[in-house]
Short mmCIF file of all heavy atoms in Angstrom, two decimals:
data_model
loop_
_atom_site.label_atom_id
_atom_site.label_comp_id
_atom_site.label_asym_id
_atom_site.label_seq_id
_atom_site.Cartn_x
_atom_site.Cartn_y
_atom_site.Cartn_z
N MET V 1 105.33 45.93 55.43
CA MET V 1 106.26 46.40 56.45
C MET V 1 107.69 46.32 55.88
O MET V 1 107.91 45.31 55.31
CB MET V 1 106.11 45.66 57.69
CG MET V 1 107.02 46.06 58.85
SD MET V 1 106.48 45.42 60.44
CE MET V 1 107.63 44.08 60.56
N LYS V 2 108.52 47.22 56.15
CA LYS V 2 109.85 47.27 55.66
C LYS V 2 110.77 46.67 56.70
O LYS V 2 110.63 46.90 57.86
CB LYS V 2 110.32 48.62 55.27
CG LYS V 2 111.57 48.79 54.60
CD LYS V 2 111.95 50.13 54.19
CE LYS V 2 113.20 50.16 53.40
NZ LYS V 2 113.50 51.50 52.88
N THR V 3 111.63 45.77 56.26
CA THR V 3 112.58 45.15 57.18
C THR V 3 113.85 45.84 57.10
O THR V 3 114.41 46.10 56.00
CB THR V 3 112.79 43.65 56.81
OG1 THR V 3 111.49 43.00 56.86
CG2 THR V 3 113.70 42.95 57.72
N LEU V 4 114.42 46.09 58.20
CA LEU V 4 115.78 46.74 58.22
C LEU V 4 116.81 45.77 58.56
O LEU V 4 116.69 45.07 59.59
CB LEU V 4 115.72 47.84 59.29
CG LEU V 4 117.12 48.59 59.60
CD1 LEU V 4 117.55 49.33 58.38
CD2 LEU V 4 116.95 49.53 60.79
N ARG V 5 117.77 45.57 57.77
CA ARG V 5 118.89 44.71 58.03
C ARG V 5 120.12 45.44 58.54
O ARG V 5 120.46 46.50 57.97
CB ARG V 5 119.27 43.89 56.71
CG ARG V 5 118.15 42.91 56.30
CD ARG V 5 118.58 42.24 55.07
NE ARG V 5 117.50 41.34 54.71
CZ ARG V 5 117.70 40.22 54.13
NH1 ARG V 5 118.85 39.69 53.80
NH2 ARG V 5 116.61 39.46 53.83
N ILE V 6 120.63 44.92 59.63
CA ILE V 6 121.79 45.56 60.20
C ILE V 6 122.86 44.55 60.38
O ILE V 6 122.55 43.31 60.49
CB ILE V 6 121.50 46.23 61.50
CG1 ILE V 6 120.97 45.22 62.53
CG2 ILE V 6 120.47 47.33 61.38
CD1 ILE V 6 120.89 45.74 64.02
N THR V 7 124.07 44.92 60.43
CA THR V 7 125.27 44.13 60.70
C THR V 7 125.12 43.53 62.10
O THR V 7 124.82 44.36 63.02
CB THR V 7 126.51 44.83 60.49
OG1 THR V 7 126.51 45.35 59.20
CG2 THR V 7 127.78 43.94 60.69
N THR V 8 125.37 42.29 62.31
CA THR V 8 125.28 41.69 63.67
C THR V 8 126.63 41.36 64.26
O THR V 8 126.67 40.89 65.37
CB THR V 8 124.32 40.49 63.74
OG1 THR V 8 124.89 39.58 62.75
CG2 THR V 8 122.88 40.87 63.32
N HIS V 9 127.68 41.52 63.48
CA HIS V 9 129.05 41.20 63.98
C HIS V 9 129.85 42.51 63.81
O HIS V 9 130.19 42.92 62.79
CB HIS V 9 129.65 40.12 63.10
CG HIS V 9 128.85 38.87 63.19
ND1 HIS V 9 128.89 37.95 64.26
CD2 HIS V 9 128.09 38.27 62.27
CE1 HIS V 9 128.11 37.00 63.97
NE2 HIS V 9 127.56 37.07 62.79
N TRP V 10 130.17 43.06 64.99
CA TRP V 10 130.89 44.27 65.05
C TRP V 10 132.17 44.09 65.89
O TRP V 10 132.31 43.19 66.75
CB TRP V 10 130.04 45.42 65.73
CG TRP V 10 128.77 45.71 64.99
CD1 TRP V 10 128.65 45.84 63.68
CD2 TRP V 10 127.56 45.96 65.62
NE1 TRP V 10 127.31 46.18 63.41
CE2 TRP V 10 126.62 46.22 64.55
CE3 TRP V 10 127.02 45.98 66.87
CZ2 TRP V 10 125.30 46.52 64.81
CZ3 TRP V 10 125.67 46.21 67.12
CH2 TRP V 10 124.85 46.52 66.02
N THR V 11 133.10 45.06 65.75
CA THR V 11 134.21 45.09 66.67
C THR V 11 133.67 45.66 67.94
O THR V 11 132.58 46.18 68.02
CB THR V 11 135.37 46.02 66.12
OG1 THR V 11 134.82 47.29 66.04
CG2 THR V 11 135.77 45.52 64.69
N THR V 12 134.48 45.62 68.97
CA THR V 12 134.09 46.10 70.26
C THR V 12 133.87 47.59 70.12
O THR V 12 132.86 48.14 70.69
CB THR V 12 135.18 45.81 71.32
OG1 THR V 12 135.30 44.37 71.41
CG2 THR V 12 134.80 46.35 72.69
N GLU V 13 134.70 48.28 69.53
CA GLU V 13 134.54 49.73 69.30
C GLU V 13 133.29 50.10 68.49
O GLU V 13 132.57 51.07 68.81
CB GLU V 13 135.83 50.32 68.53
CG GLU V 13 137.11 50.16 69.29
CD GLU V 13 137.76 48.91 69.27
OE1 GLU V 13 137.37 48.02 68.45
OE2 GLU V 13 138.62 48.64 70.14
N GLN V 14 133.00 49.35 67.46
CA GLN V 14 131.80 49.56 66.69
C GLN V 14 130.55 49.28 67.58
O GLN V 14 129.56 50.13 67.53
CB GLN V 14 131.69 48.70 65.48
CG GLN V 14 132.69 49.06 64.39
CD GLN V 14 132.78 48.01 63.22
OE1 GLN V 14 132.61 46.87 63.54
NE2 GLN V 14 133.00 48.48 62.07
N ALA V 15 130.53 48.26 68.36
CA ALA V 15 129.37 47.97 69.25
C ALA V 15 129.18 49.09 70.25
O ALA V 15 128.08 49.49 70.54
CB ALA V 15 129.65 46.64 69.97
N GLU V 16 130.34 49.67 70.79
CA GLU V 16 130.23 50.75 71.68
C GLU V 16 129.66 52.04 70.99
O GLU V 16 128.80 52.76 71.56
CB GLU V 16 131.62 51.04 72.36
CG GLU V 16 131.45 52.25 73.31
CD GLU V 16 132.85 52.67 73.94
OE1 GLU V 16 133.92 52.37 73.26
OE2 GLU V 16 132.83 53.19 75.05
N ASP V 17 130.09 52.20 69.78
CA ASP V 17 129.53 53.39 69.03
C ASP V 17 128.02 53.27 68.86
O ASP V 17 127.23 54.20 68.98
CB ASP V 17 130.27 53.47 67.66
CG ASP V 17 131.67 54.00 67.87
OD1 ASP V 17 132.03 54.51 68.89
OD2 ASP V 17 132.46 53.81 66.89
N ILE V 18 127.53 52.03 68.45
CA ILE V 18 126.13 51.77 68.30
C ILE V 18 125.41 52.00 69.54
O ILE V 18 124.30 52.63 69.66
CB ILE V 18 125.92 50.43 67.71
CG1 ILE V 18 126.55 50.34 66.26
CG2 ILE V 18 124.44 50.08 67.66
CD1 ILE V 18 125.97 51.30 65.25
N PHE V 19 125.88 51.47 70.63
CA PHE V 19 125.32 51.59 71.94
C PHE V 19 125.16 53.01 72.31
O PHE V 19 124.08 53.45 72.77
CB PHE V 19 126.14 50.88 73.00
CG PHE V 19 125.55 50.85 74.36
CD1 PHE V 19 124.51 49.95 74.75
CD2 PHE V 19 125.95 51.82 75.32
CE1 PHE V 19 123.95 49.95 75.96
CE2 PHE V 19 125.35 51.77 76.62
CZ PHE V 19 124.37 50.87 76.90
N THR V 20 126.19 53.87 72.11
CA THR V 20 126.21 55.27 72.46
C THR V 20 125.17 55.99 71.52
O THR V 20 124.39 56.85 71.99
CB THR V 20 127.60 55.85 72.25
OG1 THR V 20 128.49 55.19 73.08
CG2 THR V 20 127.61 57.36 72.54
N LEU V 21 125.18 55.65 70.28
CA LEU V 21 124.13 56.24 69.32
C LEU V 21 122.75 56.00 69.81
O LEU V 21 121.92 56.88 69.87
CB LEU V 21 124.34 55.69 67.91
CG LEU V 21 123.26 56.06 66.86
CD1 LEU V 21 123.38 57.52 66.60
CD2 LEU V 21 123.37 55.25 65.68
N LEU V 22 122.46 54.76 70.20
CA LEU V 22 121.12 54.37 70.61
C LEU V 22 120.77 55.16 71.88
O LEU V 22 119.63 55.56 72.03
CB LEU V 22 120.95 52.94 70.75
CG LEU V 22 121.01 52.14 69.43
CD1 LEU V 22 121.01 50.59 69.76
CD2 LEU V 22 119.92 52.47 68.53
N ASP V 23 121.67 55.23 72.85
CA ASP V 23 121.52 55.96 74.05
C ASP V 23 121.18 57.44 73.85
O ASP V 23 120.28 57.99 74.45
CB ASP V 23 122.67 55.77 75.02
CG ASP V 23 122.39 56.11 76.44
OD1 ASP V 23 121.27 55.69 76.90
OD2 ASP V 23 123.24 56.72 77.06
N ASP V 24 122.05 58.03 72.92
CA ASP V 24 121.77 59.42 72.63
C ASP V 24 120.42 59.63 71.90
O ASP V 24 119.66 60.57 72.20
CB ASP V 24 122.85 59.94 71.66
CG ASP V 24 124.22 60.11 72.36
OD1 ASP V 24 124.32 59.99 73.57
OD2 ASP V 24 125.27 60.22 71.66
N LEU V 25 120.02 58.70 70.96
CA LEU V 25 118.74 58.74 70.43
C LEU V 25 117.59 58.60 71.45
O LEU V 25 116.60 59.39 71.36
CB LEU V 25 118.64 57.61 69.31
CG LEU V 25 117.32 57.57 68.53
CD1 LEU V 25 117.14 58.83 67.69
CD2 LEU V 25 117.39 56.39 67.60
N LYS V 26 117.76 57.77 72.38
CA LYS V 26 116.71 57.56 73.44
C LYS V 26 116.58 58.91 74.19
O LYS V 26 115.45 59.32 74.42
CB LYS V 26 117.11 56.43 74.33
CG LYS V 26 116.13 56.23 75.47
CD LYS V 26 116.66 55.16 76.39
CE LYS V 26 117.62 55.75 77.33
NZ LYS V 26 118.05 54.95 78.46
N ILE V 27 117.60 59.49 74.50
CA ILE V 27 117.58 60.74 75.27
C ILE V 27 116.94 61.86 74.44
O ILE V 27 116.08 62.57 74.95
CB ILE V 27 119.00 61.20 75.75
CG1 ILE V 27 119.61 60.26 76.78
CG2 ILE V 27 119.12 62.67 76.22
CD1 ILE V 27 121.06 60.32 77.01
N ALA V 28 117.29 61.95 73.19
CA ALA V 28 116.75 62.97 72.33
C ALA V 28 115.19 62.77 72.14
O ALA V 28 114.45 63.76 72.20
CB ALA V 28 117.43 62.93 70.93
N ILE V 29 114.79 61.53 71.91
CA ILE V 29 113.38 61.27 71.83
C ILE V 29 112.61 61.60 73.14
O ILE V 29 111.58 62.20 73.14
CB ILE V 29 113.11 59.74 71.47
CG1 ILE V 29 113.63 59.54 69.97
CG2 ILE V 29 111.66 59.36 71.61
CD1 ILE V 29 113.64 58.13 69.52
N TRP V 30 113.22 61.28 74.29
CA TRP V 30 112.60 61.46 75.56
C TRP V 30 112.43 62.98 75.77
O TRP V 30 111.43 63.43 76.22
CB TRP V 30 113.31 60.84 76.71
CG TRP V 30 112.54 60.90 77.92
CD1 TRP V 30 112.90 61.75 79.04
CD2 TRP V 30 111.40 60.15 78.30
NE1 TRP V 30 111.92 61.58 79.99
CE2 TRP V 30 110.97 60.67 79.61
CE3 TRP V 30 110.67 59.27 77.70
CZ2 TRP V 30 109.91 60.16 80.26
CZ3 TRP V 30 109.48 58.76 78.30
CH2 TRP V 30 109.12 59.28 79.61
N GLN V 31 113.49 63.73 75.40
CA GLN V 31 113.45 65.21 75.57
C GLN V 31 112.29 65.83 74.73
O GLN V 31 111.60 66.72 75.15
CB GLN V 31 114.74 65.84 75.25
CG GLN V 31 115.82 65.59 76.29
CD GLN V 31 117.17 66.08 75.89
OE1 GLN V 31 117.46 66.43 74.80
NE2 GLN V 31 118.11 66.18 76.92
N SER V 32 112.09 65.23 73.60
CA SER V 32 111.08 65.89 72.67
C SER V 32 109.71 65.30 72.98
O SER V 32 108.74 66.00 72.79
CB SER V 32 111.45 65.51 71.21
OG SER V 32 112.61 66.12 70.83
N TYR V 33 109.59 64.03 73.37
CA TYR V 33 108.27 63.42 73.40
C TYR V 33 107.95 62.82 74.80
O TYR V 33 106.85 62.15 74.98
CB TYR V 33 108.08 62.28 72.43
CG TYR V 33 108.23 62.83 70.94
CD1 TYR V 33 109.45 62.69 70.25
CD2 TYR V 33 107.12 63.40 70.38
CE1 TYR V 33 109.55 63.19 68.94
CE2 TYR V 33 107.22 63.84 69.05
CZ TYR V 33 108.43 63.73 68.36
OH TYR V 33 108.49 64.24 67.11
N GLY V 34 108.78 63.02 75.80
CA GLY V 34 108.65 62.36 77.06
C GLY V 34 107.32 62.59 77.69
O GLY V 34 106.61 61.68 78.15
N GLU V 35 106.90 63.84 77.81
CA GLU V 35 105.63 64.23 78.38
C GLU V 35 104.44 63.56 77.67
O GLU V 35 103.49 63.10 78.25
CB GLU V 35 105.50 65.69 78.53
CG GLU V 35 106.44 66.38 79.49
CD GLU V 35 106.20 67.82 79.59
OE1 GLU V 35 105.13 68.33 79.41
OE2 GLU V 35 107.21 68.58 79.81
N ASP V 36 104.49 63.63 76.33
CA ASP V 36 103.51 62.94 75.48
C ASP V 36 103.40 61.48 75.73
O ASP V 36 102.29 60.96 75.78
CB ASP V 36 103.76 63.28 74.03
CG ASP V 36 103.52 64.75 73.65
OD1 ASP V 36 102.89 65.46 74.46
OD2 ASP V 36 104.28 65.20 72.72
N ILE V 37 104.54 60.85 75.85
CA ILE V 37 104.54 59.40 76.06
C ILE V 37 103.97 59.01 77.43
O ILE V 37 103.21 58.12 77.58
CB ILE V 37 106.06 58.86 75.94
CG1 ILE V 37 106.50 59.00 74.50
CG2 ILE V 37 106.10 57.43 76.43
CD1 ILE V 37 108.03 58.82 74.30
N VAL V 38 104.34 59.82 78.40
CA VAL V 38 103.74 59.59 79.77
C VAL V 38 102.24 59.78 79.80
O VAL V 38 101.52 58.93 80.31
CB VAL V 38 104.39 60.49 80.82
CG1 VAL V 38 103.70 60.44 82.21
CG2 VAL V 38 105.91 60.14 81.03
N THR V 39 101.81 60.87 79.11
CA THR V 39 100.38 61.10 79.04
C THR V 39 99.66 60.03 78.28
O THR V 39 98.59 59.48 78.74
CB THR V 39 100.11 62.44 78.29
OG1 THR V 39 100.74 63.54 79.12
CG2 THR V 39 98.61 62.72 78.21
N MET V 40 100.21 59.50 77.15
CA MET V 40 99.64 58.48 76.42
C MET V 40 99.58 57.20 77.20
O MET V 40 98.49 56.52 77.26
CB MET V 40 100.42 58.18 75.13
CG MET V 40 99.89 57.05 74.27
SD MET V 40 101.00 56.63 72.88
CE MET V 40 102.39 55.90 73.79
N ASN V 41 100.60 56.84 77.96
CA ASN V 41 100.60 55.62 78.78
C ASN V 41 99.57 55.69 79.92
O ASN V 41 98.91 54.77 80.20
CB ASN V 41 102.00 55.32 79.32
CG ASN V 41 102.92 54.84 78.25
OD1 ASN V 41 102.47 54.11 77.29
ND2 ASN V 41 104.21 55.02 78.35
N ARG V 42 99.40 56.88 80.50
CA ARG V 42 98.45 57.11 81.54
C ARG V 42 97.02 56.87 80.97
O ARG V 42 96.18 56.23 81.63
CB ARG V 42 98.53 58.42 82.18
CG ARG V 42 99.71 58.59 83.12
CD ARG V 42 99.77 59.89 83.84
NE ARG V 42 100.88 59.88 84.74
CZ ARG V 42 101.57 61.06 85.00
NH1 ARG V 42 101.22 62.24 84.42
NH2 ARG V 42 102.65 60.97 85.81
N GLU V 43 96.79 57.40 79.83
CA GLU V 43 95.41 57.33 79.20
C GLU V 43 95.19 55.79 78.88
O GLU V 43 94.04 55.40 79.02
CB GLU V 43 95.45 58.15 77.94
CG GLU V 43 95.35 59.70 78.26
CD GLU V 43 95.51 60.51 77.02
OE1 GLU V 43 95.69 59.98 75.85
OE2 GLU V 43 95.40 61.74 77.18
N ILE V 44 96.15 55.08 78.36
CA ILE V 44 95.93 53.73 77.98
C ILE V 44 95.66 52.97 79.29
O ILE V 44 94.75 52.14 79.30
CB ILE V 44 97.17 53.15 77.25
CG1 ILE V 44 97.31 53.74 75.91
CG2 ILE V 44 97.21 51.64 77.26
CD1 ILE V 44 98.62 53.50 75.18
N ALA V 45 96.40 53.21 80.37
CA ALA V 45 96.19 52.40 81.61
C ALA V 45 94.82 52.80 82.19
O ALA V 45 94.11 51.88 82.69
CB ALA V 45 97.34 52.89 82.60
N PHE V 46 94.40 54.04 82.15
CA PHE V 46 93.11 54.45 82.54
C PHE V 46 91.99 53.68 81.86
O PHE V 46 91.04 53.19 82.34
CB PHE V 46 92.88 55.90 82.50
CG PHE V 46 91.55 56.49 82.98
CD1 PHE V 46 91.27 56.52 84.35
CD2 PHE V 46 90.60 56.80 82.12
CE1 PHE V 46 90.08 56.99 84.77
CE2 PHE V 46 89.35 57.22 82.53
CZ PHE V 46 89.08 57.29 83.85
N LYS V 47 92.14 53.77 80.48
CA LYS V 47 91.19 53.04 79.64
C LYS V 47 91.13 51.55 79.94
O LYS V 47 90.02 50.93 80.10
CB LYS V 47 91.52 53.26 78.17
CG LYS V 47 90.58 52.66 77.17
CD LYS V 47 90.97 52.89 75.71
CE LYS V 47 90.00 52.20 74.77
NZ LYS V 47 90.46 52.40 73.43
N GLN V 48 92.28 50.89 80.13
CA GLN V 48 92.27 49.45 80.41
C GLN V 48 91.62 49.12 81.67
O GLN V 48 90.95 48.18 81.94
CB GLN V 48 93.69 48.94 80.33
CG GLN V 48 94.26 48.87 78.93
CD GLN V 48 95.68 48.45 78.92
OE1 GLN V 48 96.44 48.59 79.90
NE2 GLN V 48 96.19 48.08 77.79
N LYS V 49 91.90 50.03 82.75
CA LYS V 49 91.27 49.82 84.05
C LYS V 49 89.78 49.94 83.98
O LYS V 49 89.10 49.17 84.52
CB LYS V 49 91.83 50.84 85.02
CG LYS V 49 91.37 50.76 86.49
CD LYS V 49 91.92 51.76 87.35
CE LYS V 49 91.27 51.69 88.69
NZ LYS V 49 91.75 52.66 89.59
N LYS V 50 89.31 50.94 83.18
CA LYS V 50 87.83 51.08 83.04
C LYS V 50 87.19 49.98 82.41
O LYS V 50 86.15 49.44 82.77
CB LYS V 50 87.53 52.44 82.34
CG LYS V 50 87.66 53.64 83.11
CD LYS V 50 86.61 53.69 84.28
CE LYS V 50 86.69 54.95 85.05
NZ LYS V 50 85.84 54.86 86.23
N GLU V 51 87.90 49.49 81.26
CA GLU V 51 87.32 48.32 80.59
C GLU V 51 87.28 47.10 81.48
O GLU V 51 86.32 46.29 81.42
CB GLU V 51 88.19 48.04 79.33
CG GLU V 51 88.01 49.02 78.23
CD GLU V 51 89.02 48.89 77.04
OE1 GLU V 51 89.94 48.00 77.16
OE2 GLU V 51 88.83 49.58 76.06
N ALA V 52 88.28 46.87 82.29
CA ALA V 52 88.36 45.73 83.22
C ALA V 52 87.24 45.82 84.26
O ALA V 52 86.53 44.88 84.53
CB ALA V 52 89.69 45.60 83.91
N GLU V 53 87.02 47.08 84.75
CA GLU V 53 85.90 47.26 85.73
C GLU V 53 84.59 47.05 85.10
O GLU V 53 83.72 46.37 85.68
CB GLU V 53 85.98 48.69 86.23
CG GLU V 53 87.24 48.96 87.18
CD GLU V 53 87.32 50.43 87.56
OE1 GLU V 53 86.59 51.29 86.99
OE2 GLU V 53 88.26 50.64 88.39
N ASN V 54 84.42 47.49 83.81
CA ASN V 54 83.12 47.28 83.09
C ASN V 54 82.92 45.79 82.87
O ASN V 54 81.72 45.29 83.04
CB ASN V 54 83.08 48.00 81.83
CG ASN V 54 83.03 49.62 82.04
OD1 ASN V 54 82.58 49.93 83.13
ND2 ASN V 54 83.38 50.26 81.11
N ARG V 55 83.97 45.07 82.54
CA ARG V 55 83.79 43.59 82.34
C ARG V 55 83.42 42.89 83.65
O ARG V 55 82.57 42.02 83.67
CB ARG V 55 85.18 42.94 81.79
CG ARG V 55 85.26 43.15 80.28
CD ARG V 55 86.44 42.24 79.81
NE ARG V 55 87.68 42.43 80.47
CZ ARG V 55 88.57 43.31 80.17
NH1 ARG V 55 88.34 44.20 79.16
NH2 ARG V 55 89.68 43.48 80.83
N GLU V 56 84.05 43.30 84.66
CA GLU V 56 83.80 42.69 86.01
C GLU V 56 82.34 43.03 86.40
O GLU V 56 81.64 42.17 86.90
CB GLU V 56 84.70 43.19 87.08
CG GLU V 56 86.14 42.67 86.90
CD GLU V 56 87.18 43.29 87.88
OE1 GLU V 56 86.69 44.07 88.77
OE2 GLU V 56 88.35 43.00 87.82
N GLU V 57 81.88 44.24 86.25
CA GLU V 57 80.51 44.57 86.58
C GLU V 57 79.52 43.80 85.73
O GLU V 57 78.51 43.29 86.23
CB GLU V 57 80.31 46.07 86.30
CG GLU V 57 80.93 46.95 87.40
CD GLU V 57 80.73 48.43 87.11
OE1 GLU V 57 79.97 48.75 86.24
OE2 GLU V 57 81.43 49.18 87.81
N GLY V 58 79.85 43.57 84.45
CA GLY V 58 78.98 42.80 83.55
C GLY V 58 78.91 41.33 83.97
O GLY V 58 77.84 40.77 83.87
N GLU V 59 80.05 40.83 84.39
CA GLU V 59 80.08 39.47 84.80
C GLU V 59 79.26 39.24 86.02
O GLU V 59 78.62 38.23 86.23
CB GLU V 59 81.55 38.97 85.01
CG GLU V 59 82.35 38.87 83.69
CD GLU V 59 83.77 38.67 83.93
OE1 GLU V 59 84.19 38.49 85.05
OE2 GLU V 59 84.51 38.53 82.92
N LEU V 60 79.36 40.16 87.00
CA LEU V 60 78.60 40.06 88.22
C LEU V 60 77.14 40.20 87.96
O LEU V 60 76.32 39.54 88.59
CB LEU V 60 79.02 41.16 89.24
CG LEU V 60 80.53 41.03 89.71
CD1 LEU V 60 80.85 42.26 90.55
CD2 LEU V 60 80.62 39.75 90.59
N LYS V 61 76.73 41.04 86.99
CA LYS V 61 75.28 41.16 86.71
C LYS V 61 74.67 39.97 86.10
O LYS V 61 73.56 39.66 86.22
CB LYS V 61 75.12 42.40 85.84
CG LYS V 61 75.33 43.75 86.51
CD LYS V 61 75.12 44.83 85.53
CE LYS V 61 75.49 46.20 86.25
NZ LYS V 61 75.37 47.28 85.31
N ASP V 62 75.54 39.23 85.33
CA ASP V 62 75.07 38.08 84.58
C ASP V 62 74.94 36.86 85.50
O ASP V 62 74.26 35.86 85.07
CB ASP V 62 75.97 37.71 83.40
CG ASP V 62 75.96 38.80 82.36
OD1 ASP V 62 74.97 39.54 82.32
OD2 ASP V 62 76.96 38.84 81.53
N GLU V 63 75.54 36.86 86.59
CA GLU V 63 75.52 35.69 87.52
C GLU V 63 74.08 35.61 88.13
O GLU V 63 73.52 36.62 88.67
CB GLU V 63 76.54 35.71 88.55
CG GLU V 63 77.95 35.65 88.00
CD GLU V 63 78.96 35.68 89.12
OE1 GLU V 63 78.67 35.57 90.26
OE2 GLU V 63 80.12 35.80 88.75
N PRO V 64 73.53 34.39 88.26
CA PRO V 64 72.26 34.27 88.98
C PRO V 64 72.45 34.41 90.43
O PRO V 64 73.44 34.12 90.96
CB PRO V 64 71.77 32.90 88.58
CG PRO V 64 73.02 32.13 88.26
CD PRO V 64 73.99 33.17 87.68
N PHE V 65 71.38 35.01 91.09
CA PHE V 65 71.44 35.08 92.56
C PHE V 65 70.72 33.79 93.12
O PHE V 65 69.66 33.51 92.81
CB PHE V 65 70.67 36.38 93.04
CG PHE V 65 71.34 37.60 92.48
CD1 PHE V 65 70.86 38.37 91.43
CD2 PHE V 65 72.50 38.07 93.11
CE1 PHE V 65 71.43 39.49 91.04
CE2 PHE V 65 73.12 39.22 92.72
CZ PHE V 65 72.58 39.99 91.62
N PHE V 66 71.47 33.27 94.12
CA PHE V 66 70.89 32.02 94.74
C PHE V 66 70.74 32.29 96.17
O PHE V 66 71.51 32.87 96.83
CB PHE V 66 71.84 30.80 94.53
CG PHE V 66 71.76 30.32 93.16
CD1 PHE V 66 72.88 30.64 92.32
CD2 PHE V 66 70.78 29.59 92.67
CE1 PHE V 66 72.90 30.15 90.97
CE2 PHE V 66 70.80 29.10 91.34
CZ PHE V 66 71.88 29.43 90.50
#
């Protein structure tokens, strides 16, 4: 994995410029990939819900009936 080193001490103006850049980048990414990101997150949530339900069903089947 490559490590990115950035300056951590900026002037107020430089910090504002970086903040603006990151905000613009976030907007550009969302415009290009927003729908795909939402779809991916829904699929992940659905899969996790199904896995949890399957685990719960498996646990209930393994318990002895008294």
Side-chain angles (χ1 to χ4, degrees):
M1 183 164 100
K2 188 173 184 177
T3 302
L4 175 65
R5 292 183 180 213
I6 60 170
T7 303
T8 56
H9 300 285
W10 299 316
T11 65
T12 302
E13 292 81 13
Q14 290 171 325
E16 181 183 22
D17 289 343
I18 296 297
F19 184 82
T20 302
L21 171 70
L22 293 174
D23 197 41
D24 291 346
L25 181 60
K26 180 185 77 169
I27 291 167
I29 290 170
W30 188 254
Q31 288 174 344
S32 295
Y33 298 99
E35 290 180 32
D36 294 334
I37 292 170
V38 169
T39 300
M40 179 186 69
N41 287 330
R42 284 184 180 149
E43 289 172 356
I44 290 169
F46 180 77
K47 181 179 176 184
Q48 289 173 342
K49 182 179 176 184
K50 284 294 184 188
E51 288 173 353
E53 290 171 354
N54 289 340
R55 276 194 306 274
E56 288 175 5
E57 287 178 10
E59 290 171 3
L60 293 175
K61 290 179 183 176
D62 293 340
E63 293 180 15
F65 295 107
F66 291 103

